[in-house]
Structures are given as structure tokens and as C-alpha cells.
């Protein structure tokens, strides 16, 4: 008699929708990310509204010029819960010239599969747009984002030490410098 092994059912991810961020999404993102836990790996403190106004404007330009951007993520009810998407890596250190994918969600949306669902939708959109490969830069210690990269099938490429920001001691023993992992995925 042949023993039958049951495979566990695939995890059902929530339905998400992605849209190009509007000017109003700057206010939404500012509100959603006004949380030290959300910003733990993004400087630690909530950002000013003007940063989100500039970010959403830049993302609209990216969408018009490149066909992709950091999109606003909407949950099953159509409510904004954060962003996900891609943009060219713009810093002089790290994976210069490559396309970075990323995500940031409101604390209330954590642990529900939204980041993975939105990141998978991003990968599919980028693949359809002809993007050959992507990277995800994840701060060391950000286990939630590392888990998303693994669910996407990404592999650890390089490890970088980030330059310190002016006036930022980073709250660590490295003068504001932090370790960041560069995960890679060929599309």
C-alpha cells in the first residue's frame, strides 16, 4: 500500500489592489506611518508631511516615466493600508542602478499577509513591464521584511553597511551606520 502524504493547503493571501498614489495619499501615508514601530527601520521617527508630499509626487513621475512606482496598497474594503512597489535605487552606495522593490504598511495591517500579497502583485507588474531583476534592501533585524523576501523567492546577495546620516548616531554603537541586506530576484 502506498502511503499518501498530504501537502498543506496553500496559505490564502488577502486580496489587495494597487493604485498610483494621489496627492491625498501623502496625508494618508503620513497618518498611517506616524508610528515609531512602523518607522523603526526607516529612521525611527515619523517623517514630516512634506516628505510624503515629495514622495507621492515622485512616485507619480516614476509611474508616468517608467510604468512602475511605489503604489498605494488598498485592502479588501478599498482602504489604504500602506505602499508597495518599485523604484530605481537612487543612493550612491548599495545596488546603484538597480530596481528596488519595497513595502511599508500601517501597524494595523501587519501579520495578515498584506505585505506578501502586495509584493507579489508588484513582482508580477514588474515582470509584465519587462524589468529583468529586482533587489530589496532590508535593514538587519527587520525579520518581518526578511520573511517577505523569502516568500517572494528572493536570495540574499550582498550585505552593506549604510553611511550615517548627518546628525544621526543611529542609536547604535556604529556611529549611525547600519547593516542592510540586499536580496535579489531574477524576474
Amino acid at each position: 500500500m502506498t502511503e499518501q502524504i498530504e501537502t498543506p493547503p496553500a496559505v490564502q493571501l488577502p486580496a489587495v489592489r494597487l493604485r498610483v498614489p494621489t496627492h491625498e495619499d501623502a496625508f494618508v501615508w503620513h497618518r498611517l506611518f506616524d508610528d515609531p514601530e512602523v518607522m523603526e527601520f526607516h529612521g525611527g521617527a515619523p517623517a514630516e508631511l512634506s516628505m510624503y508630499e515629495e514622495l507621492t509626487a515622485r512616485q507619480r513621475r516614476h509611474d508616468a516615466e517608467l510604468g512602475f512606482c511605489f503604489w498605494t496598497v488598498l485592502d479588501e474594503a478599498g482602504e489604504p493600508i500602506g505602499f508597495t512597489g518599485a523604484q530605481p535605487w537612487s543612493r550612491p552606495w548599495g545596488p546603484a542602478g538597480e530596481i528596488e522593490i519595497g513595502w511599508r504598511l500601517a501597524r494595523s495591517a501587519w501579520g495578515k499577509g498584506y505585505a506578501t500579497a502586495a509584493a507579489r502583485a508588484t513582482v508580477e507588474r514588474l515582470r509584465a513591464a519587462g524589468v529583468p531583476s529586482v533587489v530589496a534592501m532590508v535593514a538587519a533585524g527587520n525579520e518581518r521584511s526578511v520573511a517577505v523576501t523569502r516568500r517572494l523567492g528572493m536570495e540574499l546577495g550582498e550585505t552593506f553597511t549604510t553611511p550615517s546620516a548627518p546628525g544621526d548616531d543611529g542609536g547604535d554603537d556604529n556611529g549611525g551606520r547600519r547593516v542592510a541586506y540586499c536580496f535579489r530576484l531574477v524576474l
Side-chain angles (χ1 to χ4, degrees):
M1 183 164 162
T2 305
E3 181 180 339
Q4 295 227 327
I5 300 174
E6 290 187 38
T7 54
V11 174
Q12 182 68 33
L13 293 174
V16 295
R17 210 176 66 203
L18 308 180
R19 74 162 186 233
V20 175
T22 64
H23 175 71
E24 290 76 26
D25 283 333
F27 299 94
V28 173
W29 292 1
H30 182 253
R31 178 179 48 80
L32 293 176
F33 306 145
D34 187 19
D35 181 327
E37 279 188 277
V38 171
M39 299 304 292
E40 177 181 3
F41 299 105
H42 306 284
E48 296 293 323
L49 174 61
S50 61
M51 192 281 301
Y52 291 110
E53 290 174 318
E54 189 280 327
L55 180 60
T56 55
R58 183 172 6 116
Q59 298 313 310
R60 288 189 296 277
R61 282 191 310 274
H62 284 325
D63 183 70
E65 296 168 4
L66 305 172
F68 55 85
C69 64
F70 281 147
W71 295 287
T72 296
V73 178
L74 306 173
D75 67 10
E76 298 98 329
E79 293 298 317
I81 58 172
F83 67 69
T84 188
Q87 65 181 0
W89 181 260
S90 60
R91 296 173 180 96
W93 62 274
E98 298 195 56
I99 302 299
E100 175 200 24
I101 64 170
W103 44 86
R104 186 181 309 167
L105 298 180
R107 176 69 185 93
S108 61
W110 290 4
K112 299 176 182 176
Y114 289 119
T116 299
R120 284 185 179 164
T122 294
V123 166
E124 291 308 313
R125 285 187 177 196
L126 294 172
R127 189 175 280 133
V131 174
S133 63
V134 294
V135 298
M137 292 295 289
V138 179
N142 188 344
E143 295 303 321
R144 291 180 301 274
S145 283
V146 168
V148 173
T149 66
R150 298 292 189 207
R151 287 184 207 111
L152 293 176
M154 300 185 88
E155 294 183 5
L156 180 59
E158 302 84 15
T159 299
F160 294 97
T161 301
T162 67
S164 58
D168 175 21
D169 73 5
D172 56 26
D173 295 326
N174 203 15
R177 296 164 57 90
R178 295 183 176 91
V179 173
Y181 302 125
C182 180
F183 291 89
R184 297 182 170 282
L185 180 66
V186 174
L187 303 180

